Amino acid sequence: MAPLPWRRRRPPSSRSNRAWQAPLALALVVNLAALGYRLTEGWDWGDCYWMVAITLSTIGYGEVHPLSYSGRLVTALLILGGLVVVQIAIQGVLGLSESGYFRRLRERRFRRWLNAMQDHVILCGYGRIGQEIAQQVAREGVELLVVETDQERREAAEQEGLPVLVADATLDETLLEAGIHRCRSLVVALSSNAANLYVVLSARGLAPRCRLVARSDSSEAERKLRLAGADEVVSPYVSGGRMMAATALRPMAVSFMDLLAGSDCEVEEFLLSSDPADLGRLNGISLGELELGRRTGALVLAVRQPRRQAEAGLQYRGSSYRLPDQELVANPGREQQLEPGQLLVVMGSKEELAQVTELLGPALRSVDLMSS
């Protein structure tokens, strides 16, 4: 029985391999012609390849040395073979470009670069909120990866020099490809509350220890995002309104972080591990006993106490449910004790904060820079 017509077709990958045959044929012609000049004229290899170059390119500066009859025969064969092979090679390269080979090559290089990223921030969505987030993260010198599907927003991010992964952030494979297990935090700033919720659910299931920050447009969306596993939920409208009110009442206090941004001081959040074994000798020790200020020069601004298990349930407030607020101890005294799950807000220079990181050691779960 005769084979079916579709069985005679080559797979698409073999067409790309066939396109590379023309450059290989050109290389063969060049080397054979150089070998011909070497055998017939006895020139050194530099003169042989130079003669091949000026012949194939049709520049024709002149013969390197006077040619014998055999050398002229080699030149004639080179001209005839070169014209054919060069044309085929050009068509082959154009065929590779049209088939998207070079685009796929760039994508493979980009994905290899993604696999090497460590301690970066993943930003899902590059709208107006996402653009402001990207500027603040870039100002702190932290690597940022943008996940976006919109063509215009992708081009806007690339114009700012940001790497962009063109994929759907709600898919698990996209988050894995973006390096969710190696990232510093994941910021979800999509325009849809439903999409934000879906990303948070997927991210929390894939990386339980990843820090998730999500955007919401309502208190209802905030409640659901926190239930889905978001560590922090920010509403641009609520935050903007609070900022404007605070600016009208306490302008100097609001601009405090802006003043810090222009100085050598920074404010970082040091999240302690929730496992008492990780704290070791630091578990239950007071700030006075730790002598963090004397040993590092940094200043502890506040301590956020871990949420108690008994309080972990939802509380009814007004017309909606929400998680209870965690206790924040501002300007803690020397008697303040370290506990698993605490968050220390510390101010100091980069060198001082690095010493704090070294001092706390295995007790740390994560270190995050507070932007202005």
Side-chain angles (χ1 to χ4, degrees), residues 127-133 187-193 196 213-219 221-222 225 232-245:
R128 288 179 295 179
I129 301 298
Q131 293 174 15
E132 183 63 27
I133 295 172
V187 182
V188 189
L190 301 174
S191 57
S192 169
N193 287 327
N196 290 334
V213 182
R215 169 194 174 180
S216 72
D217 293 338
S218 64
S219 58
E222 177 183 357
L225 285 167
E232 299 292 341
V233 180
V234 179
S235 172
Y237 308 107
V238 174
S239 300
R242 291 176 179 175
M243 180 67 69
M244 294 179 67

Side-chain angles (χ1 to χ4, degrees), residues 25-37 48-58 70-86:
L26 178 60
L28 181 62
V29 168
V30 169
N31 287 282
L32 286 177
L35 179 61
Y37 285 126
C48 293
Y49 280 107
W50 175 249
M51 187 65 183
V52 173
I54 63 177
T55 302
L56 283 181
S57 62
T58 68
S70 299
R72 291 179 180 178
L73 179 61
V74 171
T75 303
L77 294 176
L78 174 61
I79 293 173
L80 293 176
L83 288 176
V84 176
V85 173
V86 167

Side-chain angles (χ1 to χ4, degrees), residues 163-178:
V164 182
L165 176 60
V166 183
D168 187 355
T170 61
L171 301 178
D172 289 355
E173 52 265 31
T174 299
L175 298 178
L176 291 173
E177 188 176 7

Side-chain angles (χ1 to χ4, degrees), residues 269-290:
E269 298 177 349
F270 294 86
L271 180 61
L272 301 182
S273 173
S274 56
D275 186 358
D278 293 335
L279 269 66
R281 64 177 183 83
L282 297 181
N283 190 14
I285 192 174
S286 67
L287 293 178
E289 295 172 336
L290 182 61

Side-chain angles (χ1 to χ4, degrees), residues 337-372:
Q337 294 181 337
L338 298 184
E339 300 178 16
Q342 279 182 337
L343 180 71
L344 308 181
V345 181
V346 184
M347 182 178 67
S349 64
K350 291 183 178 180
E351 294 76 13
E352 293 171 346
L353 295 175
Q355 293 178 15
V356 175
T357 303
E358 183 178 356
L359 178 62
L360 297 178
L364 281 178
R365 175 184 171 186
S366 65
V367 180
D368 293 307
L369 180 66
M370 294 183 63
S371 60
S372 58

Side-chain angles (χ1 to χ4, degrees), residues 108-226:
R108 284 198 293 268
R109 286 199 300 265
F110 177 69
R111 278 167 170 75
R112 285 197 298 268
W113 179 80
L114 280 183
N115 293 333
M117 291 189 74
Q118 297 282 344
D119 199 30
H120 58 290
V121 174
I122 303 174
L123 173 60
C124 301
Y126 196 72
R128 288 179 295 179
I129 301 298
Q131 293 174 15
E132 183 63 27
I133 295 172
Q135 292 179 5
Q136 296 295 333
V137 173
R139 183 183 301 175
E140 302 296 341
V142 179
E143 279 192 308
L144 178 72
L145 174 64
V146 177
V147 180
E148 183 58 78
T149 56
D150 186 85
Q151 182 66 23
E152 294 183 0
R153 294 177 178 177
R154 170 194 174 185
E155 293 175 354
E158 290 177 342
Q159 289 178 357
E160 296 296 328
L162 299 173
V164 182
L165 176 60
V166 183
D168 187 355
T170 61
L171 301 178
D172 289 355
E173 52 265 31
T174 299
L175 298 178
L176 291 173
E177 188 176 7
I180 189 171
H181 293 296
R182 307 182 307 274
C183 72
R184 184 171 186 168
S185 59
L186 173 69
V187 182
V188 189
L190 301 174
S191 57
S192 169
N193 287 327
N196 290 334
L197 179 62
Y198 207 92
V199 174
V200 170
L201 279 171
S202 300
R204 184 53 73 206
L206 292 172
R209 296 175 64 89
C210 180
R211 181 174 176 83
L212 304 181
V213 182
R215 169 194 174 180
S216 72
D217 293 338
S218 64
S219 58
E220 179 72 13
E222 177 183 357
R223 180 181 66 85
K224 292 180 179 179
L225 285 167
R226 290 190 182 276

